[in-house]
Amino acid sequence: MTHALLYSRAPLGIEAREVRVETHLAPGLPAFTIVGMGDTAVRESRDRVRSALVNSGFEFPQRRITVSLAPADLPKDGGRFDLAIALGILIASNQLGKVSTDHLEFSGELSLNGLLNPVSGILPCALACQDSQRSLVVAKDNADEASLTGVDTLAASQLCEVAAHLTGQGPLPAHRSDPPRNLPFQGGCLSEIRGQATAKRILEIAAAGGHSLLLCGPPGAGKSMLASRLPGLLPSLRTRQALEVAAIHSLKQPRDSQVFYQRPYRAPHHTSSATALVGGGSYPKPGEISLAHHGVLFLDELPEFDRRVLEVLREPLETGEVSIARAAQQLTFPARFQLVAAMNPCPCGFLGDPEKSCGYRCEKAKRYQSKLSGPLLDRIDLHLDVPAVDAHELLGDKEGESSEIVCLRVKEAWQQQWQRQQRLNRDLSPDDLEPLLRPHRDWLAGVMNRLGLSARALHRSIRVARTIADLAQSEEVERDHLREALSYRQNIEKGG
C-alpha cells in the first residue's frame, strides 16, 4: 500500500471543518511535501513528524512523500495535523499492516521525541466529530475538554500508543470527564459590600433581566466590587450554553473543567485594542466580547478606553454577535454578553466635592464624559450614580443579603421570563413591548419628551420595568415599576 487516508479537523470560527489527510508514497528522490493551504506551522510538520517517527522506533521512508490536506482552499494552521500525517506515513509504508481508520479522527501535535502535545480549538473539533459519528483521538491534555461534548474520546500520550491501538496490540481506553455542577462563584459575596443599597438593588435588576449597567462615582465607592459580584447572582449555564462558551474559549485558552457551568467574567484593561475586544488576526480568533458570551464583560475606567474601541461594542450589544471580515473569509462569533461599565465623573473622580475636587471646571468634566458617545450610552439599560460610602455604614457590623439569597430571586425571575416569552427581558422586541406600554402610552409620551429619551432608550426602560415587575412577582407592569426603571436612566451630560 502506498496511499493512506485519515480524518482530522480545522477550526473555522467556532465551527470545525473536516480535513482529509491523504498520504502518498512514490518512487524517486527522497522528498516530503505538504500541500493544502497550510500556514508556517503546518509546513513545519515535516520536521516534527520525521523526528517523531525515528525517535518512536519507526522507519522514515526514503521515498517521495506527498501529504494533501483537503479541501485545498480551506485555511489550516497549527500542528494539529501532525498525528494524522505521521500515521498516514506509517500506513502508506505498510509499517502497521492493514488497519482501519474510517471510524476515527485525529488531532494532536507531535514533539520531536514522539510525545503528543495538546492543541487549541479541540472542543469545536469534538462537537463536529460527534456529528460525524466518529471517535476522536487526542493528546491526554486535551482529553478532558474533548470528552465534555460526549464524543467517544481516546487519549494517548505518545505516537506509539496510537499505533498500538490501530494494530490492536494496546487499545486506548475511552476517556470520560464529568465537570462539577453548582460550584460557588469565586468572585466574592454581595454581603461583603457595606452600604450601597441602591447599587445592590440595581445589580439585582441587571442580573434578573440580563441588562447592561453603567456605574458612575468617585474612587473607592465600590464600583469594581459591585461589578465583580454580578456573575455570582446569575444562574449556572445550561449544558448547551456551557458547550458554546467552552468552544469559544477553546480557540484561545481552554477553560478549566471545574468552571464548565459557571458564567465567564472578563475584565480587559483600558489599553486594550479594538482587535483584542472584538477579535481578529490572520486566522480570526475571538476577542473579549466573545469570551464573555453568556457571561459578564466588565469595562473599568470606561472613558479611558479609546473611543474607537468603545464604538465597536454598539453592534454586538444589539445583535449578540460580531462579524469579522477578511479578504478570504468572513466569520461570525457569538457575543451575547452582559456589559457592566464603571467610570469616574471627571478625571480626578471627585467632581462636586469641595474638599477633594482638583478644581476642574464643569467644561473639563463634560469633555471627559464626552469620550462616551450618545449611541453607546443609549444602548446601556441602567445608569446609576454611586456615591461614596458613609463611614458609619462602612465600619458598622450590619451585613447585607448574601449573593446566594439574591441569586434565588434572580433564578425565579428567569424562570418566569422563559415560561412567558422563552427569552430574557433584555431580548424583548418592540412588538413584545407594545402590550406593556399601551396602558401608559400618554404618560410615557410626556416622560419621553420631558427627559429627552430616544425610542431605543424608552424601549430599554420598559424592558427594565418588566424585570422589576418580575422581581415583584407582578403579572402587569405598573406605573411604579416604570417610574423606578426611568429613575435608573440618568443621562450623563456630554460636552462638545
Side-chain angles (χ1 to χ4, degrees), residues 376-448:
L376 176 61
L377 291 174
D378 232 16
R379 287 167 167 81
I380 300 179
D381 300 339
L382 299 160
H383 301 179
L384 181 69
D385 286 330
V386 182
V389 184
D390 180 76
H392 294 289
E393 288 183 315
L394 181 63
L395 300 175
D397 296 330
K398 184 179 179 180
E399 290 189 0
E401 289 183 310
S402 68
S403 294
E404 186 177 0
I405 294 175
V406 177
C407 185
L408 292 176
R409 294 199 295 266
V410 170
K411 285 181 179 178
E412 189 172 346
W414 278 41
Q415 290 172 358
Q416 294 175 24
Q417 293 165 45
W418 283 104
Q419 291 173 1
R420 181 178 61 241
Q421 63 221 16
Q422 292 75 54
R423 55 187 178 274
L424 293 180
N425 289 333
R426 71 176 177 195
D427 299 320
L428 292 176
S429 68
D431 289 341
D432 296 327
L433 298 177
E434 179 63 27
L436 304 181
L437 62 85
R438 189 179 298 122
H440 313 282
R441 193 182 303 276
D442 293 338
W443 181 78
L444 285 172
V447 171
M448 187 176 178

Side-chain angles (χ1 to χ4, degrees), residues 302-430:
L302 190 64
E304 299 298 335
F305 283 82
D306 187 280
R307 180 164 179 155
R308 291 172 296 179
V309 173
L310 293 178
E311 292 306 299
V312 303
L313 296 173
R314 287 161 56 174
E315 180 185 352
L317 281 172
E318 290 285 345
T319 64
E321 60 184 24
V322 58
S323 297
I324 301 174
R326 292 294 179 266
Q329 58 186 324
Q330 178 170 335
L331 299 179
T332 299
F333 291 106
R336 182 67 67 184
F337 59 92
Q338 187 170 354
L339 175 65
V340 180
M343 62 175 287
N344 297 324
C346 68
C348 77
F350 297 102
L351 181 68
D353 189 325
E355 296 182 359
K356 297 182 179 179
S357 176
C358 60
Y360 278 157
R361 294 173 301 176
C362 184
E363 291 78 9
K364 289 191 176 181
K366 286 183 177 179
R367 280 199 294 272
Y368 181 73
Q369 296 175 6
S370 69
K371 295 180 181 180
L372 309 178
S373 68
L376 176 61
L377 291 174
D378 232 16
R379 287 167 167 81
I380 300 179
D381 300 339
L382 299 160
H383 301 179
L384 181 69
D385 286 330
V386 182
V389 184
D390 180 76
H392 294 289
E393 288 183 315
L394 181 63
L395 300 175
D397 296 330
K398 184 179 179 180
E399 290 189 0
E401 289 183 310
S402 68
S403 294
E404 186 177 0
I405 294 175
V406 177
C407 185
L408 292 176
R409 294 199 295 266
V410 170
K411 285 181 179 178
E412 189 172 346
W414 278 41
Q415 290 172 358
Q416 294 175 24
Q417 293 165 45
W418 283 104
Q419 291 173 1
R420 181 178 61 241
Q421 63 221 16
Q422 292 75 54
R423 55 187 178 274
L424 293 180
N425 289 333
R426 71 176 177 195
D427 299 320
L428 292 176
S429 68

Side-chain angles (χ1 to χ4, degrees), residues 59-193:
E59 177 188 351
F60 187 79
Q62 296 302 308
R63 304 178 68 180
R64 187 174 186 85
I65 303 172
T66 303
V67 176
S68 172
L69 306 177
D73 60 348
L74 176 66
K76 306 167 188 74
D77 66 321
R80 66 186 72 254
F81 307 108
D82 288 4
L83 179 59
I85 293 172
L87 293 172
I89 292 174
L90 292 177
I91 295 172
S93 61
N94 205 29
Q95 295 186 57
L96 298 183
K98 189 175 181 180
V99 298
S100 175
T101 60
D102 292 342
H103 62 293
L104 298 172
E105 292 187 10
F106 303 88
S107 187
E109 178 184 310
L110 287 173
S111 297
L112 299 184
N113 59 359
L115 295 178
L116 270 178
N117 296 325
V119 296
S120 63
I122 199 65
L123 203 139
C125 296
L127 288 169
C129 183
Q130 186 181 37
D131 293 338
S132 66
Q133 297 183 339
R134 297 192 185 105
S135 299
L136 181 62
V137 181
V138 296
K140 281 192 174 180
D141 289 343
N142 276 144
D144 283 347
E145 185 182 3
S147 62
L148 291 173
T149 64
V151 68
D152 187 13
T153 304
L154 306 177
S157 59
Q158 54 188 333
L159 175 61
C160 291
E161 293 180 3
V162 183
H165 175 79
L166 294 179
T167 59
Q169 297 176 4
L172 294 171
H175 188 90
R176 291 286 182 268
S177 176
D178 296 313
R181 288 180 177 268
N182 302 322
L183 282 181
F185 183 73
Q186 300 301 315
C189 182
L190 197 62
S191 63
E192 298 169 354
I193 302 177

